Amino acid sequence: TVYVYLGATIRGLIQNGSVIKAGDIEKYSKYPAVARLIVEPSAIAEVKAKIRNGGNLYAIAYQKTVEYK
C-alpha cells in the first residue's frame, strides 16, 4: 500500500506529493501535522478540497506544515 503527502514541502524532510510506502509512515510520527496529511490515493481529492475550504483538521495541519519551513 502507498500513500501520498499533501502538505507543504519541508526542506530536508518531505516534499508535497511524495509517495510513501506503508512501512515508512512511522518515521513521520513525530510530526503530527505531516502524519495527518499522508493520505490514501483514493482520498486525495477530498482532502485537497478540505484544505482549500479551511476550518477543519486537514487545513490546520496544512498551515502547520507551512510554518515548519
Side-chain angles (χ1 to χ4, degrees), residues 36-68:
R36 174 159 314 272
L37 295 169
I38 297 173
V39 302
E40 293 184 3
S42 61
I44 291 173
E46 177 185 354
V47 172
K48 281 185 173 183
K50 287 182 178 184
I51 291 169
R52 264 193 311 276
N53 293 333
N56 59 69
L57 292 176
Y58 291 109
I60 292 166
Y62 185 88
Q63 188 56 43
K64 287 185 180 195
T65 65
V66 170
E67 295 167 3
Y68 282 161

